Structures are given as C-alpha cells and as structure tokens.
C-alpha cells in the first residue's frame, strides 16, 4: 500500500543518515590520530625521506594540513646542498623528487607554498639535469620530480627555449622562435614575450604568437653574435625564467676581393709576375731567388671589408699531397697578406720539396655559413738537386721502430749458485758453535707472561722489518712497529726487574 511504501522509504533514509553520521564521527577521530602518529614518527626518524612520506600521508588525510608539518617544509629544504644554480639532497634524485612530490602536495592542500621561488627554480634545474641519464629508476624519479613542479597550482618554474635552431639568422631564415615551457616541456598557455630595448637586429615590442610559442623577425641583419633581451608575462601561478636574454648569430656570406699575386726576384728586386686573378687562377713559377706576396680583401654584400677569425693560405703538392699552411694576417685596412721568401721558406716550411703546388685561400668564421676555399694559383717551385732527401712534413704514420734488447748474460751452473747460497748461512753456523763453546743455553728462559711477551715482541719486530723489506711502505711499518714496540718495552722491563729480583734473593 502507499502508506507502507512511504514508511519503508523513510526508514531507508534514516538508516543512511545514521551511517553518514557514524562515518563523520569516525573520520573526526581518525584524522587527528593519523596526523599525530605521523608527527610522532618523525621524532624518531628525522630524515628527508621520512618527512617526504609524512607530507604525502598528511596530504591524503581529510581536513586541514597540520601546521607542524607545513612549518617543517622550509627547514627540510634548507638541508639541500646548493651547487651553482641547482639544489639537491644527499640522497640524490630519489630523495629530491620525493621531497618535491610531498612538499607540493601538502602545500597545495594548505593553499600556500612553503618554498621560495628561488628554491623551486634550483630544485627544477637539478631534476631537469637528470632527464638524459639512463636507467629506469632515474627516469621514474625524474618524472616524479618534474610532475610535482609542473602540475601544482602554487608555483611552476618556467624556462625559455630557442626553437628549431632559429638562433642562427640568415637571409633565408631571419626569424627567431622562442617558447616558454614548464618543467615537463609543455608550452605555458596564456604567456607572452616582449623584445626589450637596446637591440640592433630586432624591433622593440611584443613578439607574435600565442600559447607559449613566439616568433620575431629581424629588422636588419648585422653580421655577428647579438644578445636579445626579452621579458615574459606569465599566469599567476608561474615563476618567470632566470634567463632574460638569448644569443643569436647572424650569418652572412662574404667574397674574396682585390686578390694580388706578386712574384719578385730578390736578387735584383725585379717584379716578375703581377696578377689580380681577373682571368682565373694564376700559373706561376719560382725558385730560391723568388719572393711571393699575396694580398686579398674579404668583403660583404655591401662592399664593406670584414675581419674574420681565421684566414690561411694553403700550398698542396700535387704529387705527394703534402700541405703547407701560412696564416694570412690583416693590416689596418683589413687587407690580408702573406710574404714568403723562398730562400728560407723552401727548406724551413716546404722541406726542400720541389714540384707543383696548388695555392688556396681558406677562410673560416662563426658568422660564415661555411668555410670558404678559393683556388688562387698553380705555383711551381723549382729547387736545385740535393744529395740530401727532402724532409717529410706530412702527418702520416712514421715507420715502426723495432728495438732488440741485449741478450742476457749466461748464468752460472746451479751447483755454483747453491754453493754460494750455503756460504750465506755459514756465519749463523759459526755463531751457534761459539755459543756452545761459551756455554750459552736457555735454561734461565722464563715462561712468565712478561718473558713470553718480550721474546714474542722481538720476533714480531723482526717480522715487521722483513715485511718492510719485502714491500710494505714506511707509514704502514711505523704504525705496526709503534704498537709492538710499546708492548715489547713494557714486557722487557718487567722481565728484567723479575730477573734482578731473583738474583738479589739468592
């Protein structure tokens, strides 16, 4: 009937309310009991791992976070060692990751973080430095630490990254691409980047892009390495990155211009060959009376002279492949040159090796797309014949040197060796005979503790000396000898006193 049905529903509702009330009472009693037990356990074990597990336990218990545990987070964090821009505990990655997991879980429950921004950044730097190390355990705890840093609602360290190798700017790719990411590498949504003042390559202002990925195009490409200052805007729970600038390199091609290849006869100071390479590489010939002067300039697309880090002139022998390098030095007008007098250079640099050489200019610099090699001339070095062989200046392996040691001298027969070995023990035999003549015996040997200790100490001292002769070092010998010597001295003094007392009694 409807009346019975209503009565039954009312009874079910009353029973459910009673069960909920009983559960609430149980939780009210259980929560303080668990928190008190955790805090009491920390009094007997005060390690970083124990506190980390206590923070995790307290974060799972309903109710407010215990104040004692919250206050201890900063104290435990100060136990970490700071090396450069990283912080870690003595227990390594596992201990550091578990501390971050527990500390952020309990702080998030309390609604405020006990760690400072600088601490969070340094812990993040340490955990992130382990992500490329091998091992499943290392990977697990790295993810634990990075997850605790990235997926909390209080403080998330951010990092500024350069994307797609865009820090190298060229005429084909003049854009710099940056990204703001969290410790797990996820782009920070709702962030922004601005180019700050004092820039040469980029215009000041907001970078284009959204959701943590930004791009800015160069206004003017100026050869060199430049610092780009940036400022970030982040959501409330994120910490700004320490890096406020990035380095970018502008790479532009150059050309070798104004090449002058001049050969001068040293004897009469007469110019034999002058060429500007307008019709291609020069074909020239020289001997010991020849002086070579090579000049060239390096210019950019606008015709301005450029200074480079490296400029060489290479001579390569067409027959042997032997290479000789000379450094081209720039003058005040940024014009590179070499000056060779073959009267000295032929033997000193070329090893008196005549023949045809290919002359190349080699340029290298960080702001060049790649190293430049330009063939300048084919030069034939004519040298008089010599009875002495030319010097090998190549870097190839030299012939192996075989050395035969002197054959050891023949040893004497075994019988002679045994005879002289026996002669070594002859003095000991003579000593025993002399003792027997004098009537020496061991009848007065005392078997007391002092007597046995004294003679045992003497034997031990001789044994230490023998061991030192065999191979023990001085410090180890002195350590053992000092202990045995003290015992031997005390036992010997006691033994002599007892002998003197016995003689006096007689």
């Amino acid at each position: 009937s409807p009346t019975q049905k209503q009565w039954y529903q009312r009874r079910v509702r009353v029973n459910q309310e009673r069960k909920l009330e009983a559960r609430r009472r149980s939780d009210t009693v259980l929560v303080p009991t668990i928190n008190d037990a955790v805090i009491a356990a920390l009094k007997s074990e005060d390690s970083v791992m124990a506190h980390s597990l206590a923070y995790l336990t307290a974060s799972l218990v309903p109710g407010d976070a215990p104040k004692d545990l919250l206050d201890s987070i900063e104290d435990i964090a100060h136990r970490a060692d700071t090396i450069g821009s990283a912080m870690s505990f003595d227990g390594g990655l596992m201990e550091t990751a578990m501390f971050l997991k527990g500390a952020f879980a309990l702080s998030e429950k309390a609604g405020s973080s006990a760690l400072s921004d600088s601490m969070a950044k340094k812990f993040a730097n340490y955990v992130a430095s382990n992500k490329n190390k091998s091992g499943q355990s290392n990977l697990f705890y790295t993810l634990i630490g990075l997850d605790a840093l990235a997926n909390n609602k209080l403080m998330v360290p951010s990092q500024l990254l350069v994307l797609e190798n865009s820090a190298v700017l060229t005429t084909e790719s003049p854009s710099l691409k940056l990204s703001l990411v969290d410790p797990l590498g996820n782009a920070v949504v709702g962030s922004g980047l601005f180019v700050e003042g004092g820039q040469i390559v980029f215009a000041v202002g907001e970078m284009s892009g959204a959701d943590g990925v930004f791009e800015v195009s160069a206004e003017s490409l100026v050869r060199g390495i430049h610092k780009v200052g940036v400022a970030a805007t982040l959501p409330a729970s994120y910490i700004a990155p320490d890096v406020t600038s990035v380095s970018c390199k502008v790479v532009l091609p150059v050309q070798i211009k104004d090449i002058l290849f001049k050969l001068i006869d040293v004897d009469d100071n007469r110019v034999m060959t002058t060429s500007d390479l307008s019709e291609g590489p020069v074909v020239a010939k020289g001997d010991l009376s020849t002086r070579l002067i090579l000049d060239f300039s390096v210019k950019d697309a606008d015709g301005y002279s450029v200074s480079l880090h490296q400029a060489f002139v290479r001579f390569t022998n067409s027959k042997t492949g032997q290479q000789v390098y000379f450094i081209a030095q720039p003058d005040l007008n940024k014009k590179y040159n070499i000056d060779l007098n073959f009267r000295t250079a032929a033997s000193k640099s070329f090893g008196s090796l005549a023949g045809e050489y290919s002359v190349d200019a080699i340029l290298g610099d960080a702001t060049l797309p790649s190293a430049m090699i330009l063939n300048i001339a084919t030069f034939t070095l004519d040298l008089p014949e010599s009875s002495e062989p030319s010097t090998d200046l190549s870097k190839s392996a030299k012939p192996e040197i075989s050395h035969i040691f002197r054959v050891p001298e023949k040893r004497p027969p075994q019988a002679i060796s045994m005879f002289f070995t026996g002669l070594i023990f002859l003095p000991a035999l003579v000593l025993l005979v002399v003792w027997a003549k004098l009537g020496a015996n061991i009848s007065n040997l005392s078997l007391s503790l002092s007597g046995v200790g004294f003679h045992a100490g003497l034997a031990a001292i001789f044994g230490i000396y023998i061991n030192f002769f065999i191979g023990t070092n001085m410090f180890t010998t002195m350590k053992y000898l000092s202990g045995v010597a003290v015992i031997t001295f005390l036992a010997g003094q006691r033994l002599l006193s007892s002998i003197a007392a016995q003689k006096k009694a007689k």
Side-chain angles (χ1 to χ4, degrees):
S1 64
T3 305
Q4 290 178 342
K5 185 176 181 180
Q6 292 175 356
W7 177 83
Y8 178 75
Q9 290 176 348
R10 188 166 55 252
R11 288 291 303 273
V12 171
R13 187 167 57 254
V14 169
N15 288 336
Q16 289 177 347
E17 291 177 353
R18 287 176 178 175
K19 290 180 180 179
L20 289 173
E21 181 65 24
R23 184 176 298 173
R24 280 194 295 269
R25 291 177 180 176
S26 175
D27 290 344
T28 303
V29 175
L30 182 62
V31 169
T33 303
I34 293 177
N35 288 334
D36 291 342
V38 168
I39 294 174
L42 290 177
K43 294 180 180 179
S44 59
E45 186 178 357
D46 193 36
S47 65
V48 176
M49 184 59 75
H51 279 84
S52 303
L53 296 176
Y55 301 151
L56 284 172
T57 303
S59 67
L60 298 175
V61 176
D64 297 333
K67 188 176 183 303
D68 292 343
L69 289 179
L70 284 172
D71 294 339
S72 68
I73 292 177
E74 186 176 2
D75 296 335
I76 297 300
H78 282 296
R79 297 185 188 179
D81 298 323
T82 302
I83 302 176
S85 61
M87 285 181 69
S88 64
F89 294 102
D90 291 338
L93 178 61
M94 179 182 70
E95 199 170 77
T96 305
M98 292 303 295
F99 169 77
L100 293 174
K101 185 71 174 177
F104 277 112
L106 188 60
S107 297
E108 195 168 353
K109 182 179 180 180
S112 62
S113 176
L115 297 177
S116 64
D117 290 355
S118 62
M119 285 183 176
K121 290 179 183 179
K122 291 179 179 180
F123 278 125
N125 291 337
Y126 171 74
V127 176
S129 67
N130 289 271
K131 63 184 180 181
N132 294 325
K133 296 181 180 179
S134 59
Q136 294 180 351
S137 175
N138 183 84
L139 177 61
F140 173 76
Y141 286 109
T142 300
L143 291 176
I144 287 290
L146 294 178
D147 178 73
L149 290 161
N151 293 325
N152 70 86
K153 299 178 182 179
L154 300 175
M155 52 167 55
V156 180
S158 62
Q159 185 179 4
L160 184 64
L161 298 180
V162 179
L163 300 179
E164 303 174 5
N165 196 28
S166 63
V168 180
L169 305 180
T170 63
T171 53
E172 295 80 14
S173 178
S175 297
L176 175 64
K177 298 177 183 179
L178 302 177
S179 178
L180 285 168
V181 297
D182 63 17
L184 283 175
N186 301 317
V188 180
V189 180
S191 59
L193 274 181
F194 297 84
V195 177
E196 294 184 323
Q199 303 300 322
I200 300 176
V201 179
F202 301 101
V204 177
E206 185 177 3
M207 298 177 65
S208 62
D211 295 335
V213 180
F214 309 95
E215 182 177 354
V216 61
S217 296
E219 272 197 337
S220 61
L221 294 177
V222 180
R223 176 189 309 280
I225 299 175
H226 308 278
K227 284 281 188 181
V228 183
V230 294
T233 58
L234 295 162
S237 59
Y238 284 83
I239 305 172
D242 288 331
V243 178
T244 57
S245 65
V246 295
S247 295
C248 68
K249 180 171 64 175
V250 178
V251 174
L252 296 174
V254 296
Q255 294 179 327
I256 300 179
K257 295 288 188 179
D258 305 329
I259 303 175
L260 180 63
F261 190 90
K262 183 187 293 185
L263 294 178
I264 301 174
D265 191 322
V266 178
D267 295 334
D268 55 10
N269 201 23
R270 175 174 52 87
V271 177
M272 299 187 298
T273 302
T274 300
S275 177
D276 59 0
L277 270 74
S278 57
E279 298 180 357
V282 179
V283 177
K285 184 177 181 180
D287 53 24
L288 291 179
S289 63
T290 305
R291 176 186 173 193
L292 168 63
I293 298 177
L294 176 62
D295 295 335
F296 60 89
S297 299
V298 181
K299 296 185 178 182
D300 59 15
D302 297 326
Y304 293 103
S305 296
V306 176
S307 294
L308 302 179
H309 290 163
Q310 297 176 334
F312 302 96
V313 176
R314 179 181 65 190
F315 288 74
T316 305
N317 190 288
S318 59
K319 183 177 180 181
T320 64
Q322 177 174 300
Q323 295 179 340
V324 183
Y325 290 86
F326 298 94
I327 299 176
Q329 300 286 357
D331 57 18
L332 296 178
N333 297 321
K334 298 182 181 180
K335 195 175 185 67
Y336 292 87
N337 64 82
I338 64 167
D339 189 342
L340 296 180
N341 189 334
F342 286 100
R343 186 160 291 173
T344 57
S347 59
K348 184 178 179 181
S349 301
F350 290 84
S352 300
L353 180 62
E356 184 181 275
Y357 286 86
S358 174
V359 184
D360 304 304
I362 303 176
L363 306 180
D365 193 87
T367 60
L368 292 181
S370 61
M372 292 183 60
I373 301 178
L374 177 66
N375 181 242
I376 294 176
T378 299
F379 179 73
T380 302
L381 180 59
D382 188 11
L383 299 176
E385 294 185 3
S386 174
S387 58
E388 296 182 0
S390 60
T391 305
D392 184 10
L393 300 178
S394 66
K395 304 298 182 181
S396 59
K398 299 294 189 267
E400 182 181 355
I401 299 175
S402 299
H403 180 73
I404 300 177
F405 290 95
R406 187 180 64 179
V407 179
E409 296 180 1
K410 186 178 180 181
R411 294 187 177 185
Q414 184 177 2
I416 297 178
S417 299
M418 295 300 295
F419 173 74
F420 281 97
T421 303
L423 290 179
I424 294 175
F425 295 101
L426 184 60
L429 181 61
V430 173
L431 179 63
L432 293 176
V433 172
V434 173
W435 280 352
K437 292 286 186 180
L438 295 177
N441 55 72
I442 58 172
S443 59
N444 289 330
L445 179 64
S446 176
L447 296 178
S448 62
L449 181 61
S450 58
V452 174
F454 175 71
H455 291 89
L458 287 177
I461 290 173
F462 284 116
I464 292 173
Y465 285 157
I466 294 172
N467 197 35
F468 171 68
F469 180 77
I470 292 174
T472 309
N473 58 51
M474 176 63 74
F475 296 101
T476 304
T477 301
M478 293 301 297
K479 180 176 66 175
Y480 291 122
L481 189 60
S482 60
V484 175
V486 171
I487 297 174
T488 306
F489 172 77
L490 295 176
Q493 187 182 34
R494 185 70 178 272
L495 177 61
L496 292 176
S497 298
S498 62
I499 292 174
Q502 291 176 2
K503 290 182 176 181
K504 189 175 181 180
K506 292 179 180 180

